Amino acid sequence: MKRRTFLAATGAGAAGLLALAAERRWRRAVVVTPPDHAPRILSRAEWGTLAAAQDRLLPSGPGSPGAREVNAVGYLDGALAEADTDPADRDRVKQGAARLDALAHDRGATSFADLAEAARDEALRAFQKEDDAGEWFETMLGYTLEALLGDPIHGGNPDEIGWRWAGHQPGWPRPGRSGT
Amino acid sequence: MTDECHICVIGSGAGGGPVALRLAEAGRSVIVLEKGPHLGEKDFAKDEIADQRRHLFTPSLRDEPQVVETWDDDAGGWDATPTAETGWDFWNGSLVGGATNLMSGFFHRMKPDDFRLRSAFGPIEGATIADWPITYDDLEPYYDIVEREVGVSGQVVNHPFADRRSHEDFPFPPTLEHPFSAHFDAACRAMGLHPFPVPRAVLSEPAAGREACAYAGYCGGYGCATGAKGSSRAALLGRAVATGRCEVRPRAMVRCIESDEKGRAVAAEYVDEHGAVRRVRARVFVVACQAIETARLLLLSTGPRHPHGLGNRSGIVGQNLIFSAAAAAYGDFPYAKADPAFAEALRSPLPFINRAVQDFYELRDPATGARRKGGTLDFMWIAPSPIAAAISETDEGAVWGWPLKERLLRYFRGGRHMKCEAFLDWLPSPDSRVTLDPEVKDRFGLPVARVRIARHPRNREVARALADEAEKILRRLGAEGIETSARGAPSTNLVGGTCRFGDDPRTSVLDRDCRAHDVENLYVTDGSFMPTGGSVPFTWTIYANAFRVAARIAETLGPS
Ligand SMILES: Cc1cc2nc3c(=O)[nH]c(=O)nc-3n(C[C@H](O)[C@H](O)[C@H](O)COP(=O)(O)OP(=O)(O)OC[C@H]3O[C@@H](n4cnc5c(N)ncnc54)[C@H](O)[C@@H]3O)c2cc1C
Ligand code: SF4
């Protein structure tokens, strides 16, 4: 278990991992792309592929919300559309989608989303063994878990479904007052 | 808007707030220049995505990086990397009130021997340890002032390293405690240790227009919406402005302090929020940008008499950078393994355990048996930032799918997670230092700070010894899955030492009043002055010293 890797590297625990910041503007919400709207950063095809991948990274089950229930792909598209998002994140996410589709071709499907669940898991595991794939998994899991456990103001975690599943008591006050 | 004042304070955190308040109270006109925005209680919300993951309170590392130098064993040299490409980030809070808005407010005083580390424990090879030019008794009245002016809650309990105090009791009773605290006391006492309640810069009762703590968690790393947290903004700057003599200018990035032919500081030049360059002229300048940025600003401020930077005739501005060297221990308390009453207690939502042990403030050298410095052990629940916790459970992206969901359920629903933070001295050295980066510039076109992290091997030895003691305590408490980390790594949020004070202008930047030896109207009041930082977090000491220096400045200026 290496859940404190970053803390071990830097001593105190104030800093975060991703270099995505907002300073000059004072603003909180990531504007999320709703599922029925045109994607902003992802192409339609990438949207489908990444949604199918997130569905395996954070699967859904009875009483157990997954990527689908927390609007993870709409959240991802919205977060990538943020002006302050590191362009490297956008490129990495898209390259990963292309790679997953290529792996699906090797397995006789037209796109990753057309694979059955077990085949998607197998393709993801094959992808994970490739050089540099680790960063894609980290990036995707980061955004997906934000959609599961972030404040609903950002468009994930609808009706606090993720918090309720985790039994998490949010802090007070919640964002969204007085123009923040 | 006038651009003339008696005192210009640069940076509005723990170092800046006390000076602004005291000098405004003394009838002086004060302008505070702060690079971050002015946010208040109504702006603060508990939003992990914005506040933590998108670093709402600190500059973008792509716009305003710093460069970190760490030793690369393979290459046999220093490896310099801009912070945007690493996990490092030395910005701790760029807003009115600075990082004090975001601190947890675990407050400890330094011990008398911390003021004379070299005399008390002897020199250590490879470390530039120096005694402070002042003693605990000189600073004690100001620690006391901080208890009242900033608001410190606590309870005096006797223990071998208990503080000598001028008031018998704290002005505010301790904050509410989690039921675990009683268990902690019993377990530690059974080990022959002396647990005590950690003083907190958190109001347990309303005072001075600030509300009491709401105990809603999400404290460290988040702004406080009640005003209970003793930030420089909530506790000091509001009162300074209320005198009618203090103006706080947010989004004012000071890029240089100009000096004249005589070597006196004459104006602070800053970039305002529209990108316009403005100047504030003052009789006295007080720099408090936190130790790394303070050193950078002085190095950037060259002038006719200060070719190597303002106050840098000694050439040592930026050197002897210190942190609090860190060690940590972690343990889990699963509900399933606790008896029903204890499981019920574990589930209490009260956020604070507030317990520390200082029985290991001094240790014995394992080889010689000689006395050597140890540190403080603080115990707390791991702060509730669920996204960060969930991401750690992925083991850097290796774990996903159902195995991840099982881990998440175990983490969130299976029990409580405790952390012990050990604070120990970071040994200073000329090599541990801040310089101007020769290439990388920030969005203002200014060379950024290059931070060299030179670690003394002793840090790690002491860290190991303290982590081992923390592990024994966790074991006694009944924790499972204990892990320790004892790299003696630098804390990125406890920073000091780049302008050490002392009586010899060749080996120190500031005199004992924290005035630059070679600039008669320049003072530095953040943690930069500290030659050593004690085995405690720094902020109570920074606040206290800033109140002390404010009193000196007021005296020097005479009646207004
Ligand atoms: C998450 C977190 C938890 C913490 N918990 C604790 C704790 O429990 N106990 C403890 O003792 N300490 C704690 N600290 C540390 C504490 O916050 C600092 O020690 C303290 O704030 C340092 O005061 P300072 O005046 O040096 O700097 P700061 O408070 O950071 O203030 C410096 C200010 O200067 C401004 N500035 C910088 N450069 C310029 C410039 N060129 N022009 C204009 N303005 C500038 C910055 O924007 C900033 O607002 C914590 C810190 C963090 C981040
Ligand atoms: S109300 Fe209390 S717990 Fe909440 S941020 Fe303020 S001091 Fe911390």
Side-chain angles (χ1 to χ4, degrees):
Chain A
M1 188 169 56
K2 281 195 291 180
R3 66 174 184 243
R4 294 103 183 189
T5 319
F6 183 69
L7 294 183
T10 66
L17 277 167
L18 291 177
L20 318 161
E23 202 266 331
R24 275 163 295 170
R25 286 165 302 133
W26 166 245
R27 187 178 49 81
R28 283 182 180 276
V30 175
V31 183
V32 172
T33 311
D36 49 345
H37 283 59
R40 286 183 285 167
I41 295 294
L42 305 173
S43 69
R44 282 278 172 207
E46 286 165 343
W47 177 287
T49 298
L50 292 168
Q54 285 179 305
D55 191 44
R56 302 318 302 148
L57 296 179
L58 194 71
S60 309
S64 185
R68 249 178 283 156
E69 289 76 21
V70 300
N71 190 20
V73 72
Y75 178 88
L76 172 69
D77 186 59
L80 292 178
E82 289 280 281
D84 296 311
T85 293
D86 188 341
D89 270 25
R90 280 177 212 142
D91 297 343
R92 184 178 311 120
V93 166
K94 285 165 166 281
Q95 283 159 10
R99 188 66 198 124
L100 286 176
D101 281 338
L103 287 164
H105 282 289
D106 298 346
R107 287 159 179 73
T110 39
S111 92
F112 179 78
D114 292 337
L115 293 175
E117 278 186 4
R120 277 189 264 153
D121 284 352
E122 185 272 320
L124 279 165
R125 275 192 292 271
F127 179 29
Q128 194 156 27
K129 294 204 186 83
E130 295 177 6
D131 287 351
D132 299 336
E135 285 192 29
W136 182 86
F137 280 85
E138 271 190 82
T139 305
M140 287 298 293
L141 282 164
Y143 287 116
T144 308
L145 291 168
E146 284 181 359
L148 177 72
L149 294 166
D151 194 283
I153 193 178
H154 299 290
N157 191 15
D159 298 325
E160 306 181 13
I161 186 176
W163 284 345
R164 280 186 281 131
W165 172 71
H168 176 71
Q169 174 70 43
W172 173 92
R174 300 271 301 279
R177 307 164 305 151
S178 73
T180 60
Chain B
M1 188 150 84
T2 163
D3 286 332
E4 292 262 355
C5 61
H6 287 124
I7 321 285
C8 176
V9 179
I10 304 167
S12 62
V19 179
L21 175 63
R22 280 301 194 246
L23 274 300
E25 285 174 342
R28 300 294 170 177
S29 60
V30 179
I31 294 178
V32 180
L33 299 174
E34 164 57 55
K35 86 191 282 290
H38 199 158
L39 307 172
E41 268 92 58
K42 64 177 179 17
D43 301 308
F44 292 129
K46 313 301 180 172
D47 182 348
E48 188 184 2
I49 290 181
D51 300 6
Q52 303 290 319
R53 311 239 344 121
R54 303 298 186 275
H55 306 289
L56 193 58
F57 303 120
T58 51
S60 154
L61 295 183
R62 280 181 291 127
D63 290 345
E64 297 182 55
Q66 291 158 333
V67 171
V68 178
E69 280 186 317
T70 49
W71 183 258
D72 182 340
D73 263 337
D74 298 334
W78 292 99
D79 173 60
T81 314
T83 40
E85 295 161 34
T86 67
W88 296 99
D89 186 354
F90 290 97
W91 293 110
N92 288 305
S94 239
L95 65 165
V96 171
T100 60
N101 287 290
L102 310 175
M103 67 179 177
S104 307
F106 297 112
F107 266 31
H108 294 279
R109 299 179 179 204
M110 286 172 47
K111 310 294 173 195
D113 273 351
D114 287 328
F115 291 73
R116 43 190 298 278
L117 199 61
R118 190 185 173 92
S119 311
F121 292 90
I124 296 177
E125 206 187 315
T128 39
I129 300 172
D131 287 352
W132 286 33
I134 62 171
T135 65
Y136 178 79
D137 290 335
D138 295 322
L139 199 59
E140 198 287 331
Y142 300 96
Y143 279 124
D144 185 70
I145 284 172
V146 174
E147 289 187 4
R148 271 139 251 282
E149 298 280 345
V150 173
V152 181
S153 56
Q155 185 191 354
V156 175
V157 164
N158 203 22
H159 63 92
F161 285 91
D163 300 322
R164 199 154 69 230
R165 302 172 47 84
S166 50
H167 276 83
E168 208 174 307
D169 238 328
F170 285 90
F172 300 95
T175 56
L176 294 181
E177 283 166 2
H178 192 279
F180 191 92
S181 306
H183 172 59
F184 184 89
D185 289 342
C188 286
R189 287 197 192 111
M191 297 173 77
L193 302 176
H194 302 79
F196 66 95
V198 178
R200 296 295 300 274
V202 172
L203 293 184
S204 50
E205 296 170 344
R210 295 158 56 197
E211 293 171 37
C213 179
Y215 303 106
Y218 279 74
C219 190
Y222 294 88
C224 175
T226 61
K229 194 187 284 187
S231 70
S232 165
R233 176 193 52 77
L236 309 174
L237 291 172
R239 288 158 59 203
V241 171
T243 63
R245 287 182 290 275
C246 173
E247 184 201 345
V248 178
R249 288 190 193 170
R251 298 179 193 271
M253 165 69 188
V254 178
R255 61 180 197 183
C256 165
I257 301 169
E258 292 169 2
S259 52
D260 64 14
E261 298 295 330
K262 295 194 192 109
R264 285 177 56 94
V266 289
E269 187 180 277
Y270 69 94
V271 183
D272 74 8
E273 62 183 300
H274 308 293
V277 176
R278 302 185 54 127
R279 298 158 88 240
V280 166
R281 302 179 64 84
R283 278 167 65 183
V284 171
F285 291 84
V286 178
V287 183
C289 299
Q290 213 174 62
I292 292 172
E293 291 299 308
T294 285
R296 176 190 181 210
L297 179 58
L298 296 186
L299 293 172
L300 285 170
S301 302
T302 52
R305 298 285 295 272
H306 302 286
H308 306 294
L310 196 60
N312 195 23
R313 205 160 294 161
S314 62
I316 64 166
V317 167
Q319 290 183 16
N320 301 304
L321 170 68
I322 56 169
F323 303 92
S324 181
Y330 304 86
D332 302 325
F333 293 87
Y335 301 133
K337 303 229 175 123
D339 69 54
F342 188 49
E344 180 67 25
L346 282 175
R347 286 179 193 272
S348 162
L350 284 170
F352 303 142
I353 294 176
N354 281 356
R355 283 296 184 276
V357 167
Q358 287 185 325
D359 294 81
F360 310 106
Y361 210 79
E362 281 178 26
L363 300 166
R364 294 277 160 194
D365 185 307
T368 64
R371 246 171 105 232
R372 55 149 76 172
K373 259 312 281 298
T376 300
L377 303 179
D378 267 12
F379 291 80
M380 63 207 74
W381 296 124
I382 290 183
S385 281
I387 299 168
I391 288 174
S392 325
E393 293 294 323
T394 72
D395 284 359
E396 299 175 337
V399 181
W400 48 269
W402 287 108
L404 173 61
K405 290 196 83 174
E406 274 158 34
R407 276 196 180 196
L408 296 183
L409 273 189
R410 204 178 322 128
Y411 183 85
F412 287 110
R413 288 196 169 268
R416 298 300 303 261
H417 311 284
M418 180 169 284
K419 179 180 185 192
C420 169
E421 290 186 348
F423 299 99
L424 51 133
D425 284 88
W426 172 279
L427 297 186
S429 71
D431 226 17
S432 181
R433 67 178 186 219
V434 175
T435 52
L436 296 178
D437 194 87
E439 283 154 33
V440 181
K441 298 204 163 52
D442 67 6
R443 69 183 168 100
F444 302 98
L446 303 171
V448 305
R450 180 185 273 233
V451 181
R452 177 175 289 187
I453 299 172
R455 307 175 190 215
H456 194 284
R458 174 67 67 84
N459 300 353
R460 193 191 289 250
E461 286 168 37
V462 177
R464 182 74 267 159
L466 290 172
D468 288 347
E469 299 299 344
E471 178 169 357
K472 284 183 215 155
I473 294 173
L474 284 172
R475 191 148 283 140
R476 185 64 166 244
L477 290 167
E480 291 195 348
I482 298 173
E483 289 175 42
T484 59
S485 148
R487 297 158 45 111
S491 56
T492 52
N493 55 357
L494 297 168
V495 196
T498 55
C499 302
R500 56 166 50 179
F501 75 159
D503 290 333
D504 183 346
R506 288 165 307 177
T507 56
S508 56
V509 175
L510 307 172
D511 69 13
R512 57 173 63 206
D513 291 341
C514 290
R515 182 203 327 232
H517 283 300
D518 52 4
V519 191
E520 61 172 335
N521 63 339
L522 176 74
Y523 293 79
V524 176
T525 55
D526 55 26
S528 308
F529 76 98
M530 302 191 294
T532 58
S535 300
V536 289
F538 298 164
T539 311
W540 197 350
T541 301
I542 297 174
Y543 265 140
N545 183 63
F547 274 105
R548 183 184 71 90
V549 175
R552 291 291 167 281
I553 297 174
E555 268 170 38
T556 310
L557 289 174
S560 65

